[in-house]
């Protein structure tokens, strides 16, 4: 598959199964039951081995916490424009739409994520979600709310994303970050607004996951 060719929705449907995230059972999400098989399918589709894991094929804890929070507190997004940064599966974007957001935009660098977001939006009966690629090198768009789940998964990514989130806040957006206790989140600069126990996607553990707000 050429790099500039969109990933067909059929690929996502063929290599994932519908499920309901444990913390957000209102949402139907396509997830991978066999990640190794999915990696092999991606390699066959692209003609080259993927360089990053298929983050779009799982319901990560930070995203689940953010999705739960906006569904519990729809006033945060209802009638407002929302950007879901590092959307992956589109779980948070779908939750924002279900909570009444007037416009939802998702961003992700992975073209397979773009296809997954479209499939998951359709599967939950919401309008198509606008999807953008890497926006971290650009000025944040003018939106009312930015939601970012699981984006501080390593130091390099955190050093890119946190200044961007701060710039979005400076432009007037409310910014919420969902994270299960990773060491790269500057908690001393954030306000805790909700905490959830999220079953781990890769085992029996439960991960204490926090929704933070940039003050």
């Amino acid at each position: 598959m050429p790099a500039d060719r969109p990933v067909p929705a059929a690929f996502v449907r063929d290599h994932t199964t519908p499920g309901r995230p444990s913390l957000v059972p209102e949402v139907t999400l396509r997830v991978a039951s066999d990640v190794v098989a999915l990696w092999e399918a991606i390699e066959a589709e692209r003609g080259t081995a993927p360089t990053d894991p298929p983050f779009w094929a799982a319901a990560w804890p930070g995203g689940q916490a953010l999705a739960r929070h906006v569904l519990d507190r729809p006033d945060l997004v209802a009638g407002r424009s929302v950007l879901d940064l590092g959307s992956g599966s589109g779980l948070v974007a779908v939750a924002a739409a279900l909570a009444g957001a007037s416009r939802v935009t998702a961003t992700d660098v992975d073209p397979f994520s773009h296809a997954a977001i479209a499939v998951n939006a359709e599967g939950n009966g919401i309008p198509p979600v606008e999807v953008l690629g890497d926006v971290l090198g650009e000025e944040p768009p003018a939106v009312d709310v930015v939601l970012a789940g699981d984006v501080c998964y390593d130091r390099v990514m955190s050093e890119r994303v946190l200044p961007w989130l701060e710039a979005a806040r400076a432009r007037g957006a409310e910014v919420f970050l969902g994270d299960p206790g990773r060491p790269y989140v500057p908690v001393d600069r954030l306000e805790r607004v909700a905490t959830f126990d999220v079953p781990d996607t890769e085992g029996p553990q439960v991960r204490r996951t926090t929704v933070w707000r940039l003050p």
Side-chain angles (χ1 to χ4, degrees):
M1 182 188 76
D4 57 351
R5 176 185 167 191
V7 176
F11 179 91
V12 174
R13 296 191 182 98
D14 290 345
H15 298 286
T16 59
T17 57
R20 293 186 179 273
S22 55
L23 199 65
V24 199
E26 301 94 325
V27 175
T28 299
L29 201 69
R30 306 289 308 201
V31 296
S33 55
D34 186 338
V35 175
V36 174
L38 178 58
W39 272 70
E40 293 172 348
I42 292 172
E43 182 174 3
E45 179 75 11
R46 297 182 65 179
T48 183
T51 56
D52 294 309
F55 294 121
W56 54 271
W60 298 98
Q64 288 200 53
L66 274 177
R68 180 74 270 151
H69 188 56
V70 300
L71 289 171
D72 289 346
R73 289 283 313 278
D75 56 294
L76 295 174
V77 298
R80 308 177 79 187
S81 57
V82 175
L83 177 72
D84 177 18
L85 181 70
S87 188
S89 66
L91 170 59
V92 177
V94 168
L98 292 175
S102 60
R103 178 169 60 89
V104 179
T105 303
T107 78
D108 204 284
V109 298
D110 189 340
F112 287 88
S113 168
H114 296 200
I117 293 167
V119 170
N120 286 321
E122 181 182 15
N124 286 278
I126 66 169
V129 174
E130 180 186 9
V131 185
L132 306 176
D134 186 358
V135 298
L136 295 182
E138 305 170 2
E139 184 177 5
V143 295
D144 299 315
V145 182
V146 175
L147 304 172
D150 301 288
V151 293
C152 293
Y153 54 83
D154 65 25
R155 186 178 304 279
V156 173
M157 184 62 177
S158 299
E159 290 174 351
R160 290 193 69 205
V161 75
L162 290 170
W164 193 92
L165 292 175
E166 290 168 349
R169 183 72 188 96
R171 293 199 71 187
E174 284 198 84
V175 178
F176 296 91
L177 178 70
D179 187 83
R182 296 183 180 93
Y184 311 105
V185 177
V187 297
D188 57 324
R189 291 156 44 195
L190 304 173
E191 174 190 351
R192 185 193 309 265
V193 296
T195 303
F196 302 94
D197 288 327
V198 186
D200 202 309
T201 57
E202 300 175 341
Q205 297 86 3
V206 172
R207 304 191 70 177
R208 177 58 60 93
T209 302
T210 302
V211 176
W212 301 96
R213 177 179 176 271
L214 267 67

